[in-house]
Amino acid sequence: MSTTVETRSERSAAEVNEEIRALWFRSGGTLSVEQREEYQRLVLEWAAAPQPGEAA
């Protein structure tokens, strides 16, 4: 699995953060291997997403 972010996210950081929160909620606080992979992908997307006050 690649850990590099190739392009900027089309979703805002807030949108990605909401998905991260939902993942943790659904997992009950303990992530499976598959959920950890999804979490890692989401964190990378969040880091590449436009942050509040940042020009897209």
Side-chain angles (χ1 to χ4, degrees), residues 9-23:
S9 174
E10 293 185 18
R11 300 191 293 172
S12 71
E15 290 172 312
V16 179
N17 189 45
E18 187 61 33
E19 190 171 340
I20 291 169
R21 288 176 183 266
L23 174 64

Side-chain angles (χ1 to χ4, degrees), residues 20-56:
I20 291 169
R21 288 176 183 266
L23 174 64
W24 277 107
F25 181 78
R26 286 190 313 270
S27 74
T30 303
L31 299 176
S32 69
V33 172
E34 294 82 15
Q35 288 169 321
R36 278 184 264 152
E37 290 172 357
E38 174 74 359
Y39 174 74
Q40 183 177 22
R41 184 191 64 75
L42 288 168
V43 168
L44 292 172
E45 183 181 351
W46 175 85
Q51 301 295 320
E54 179 181 271

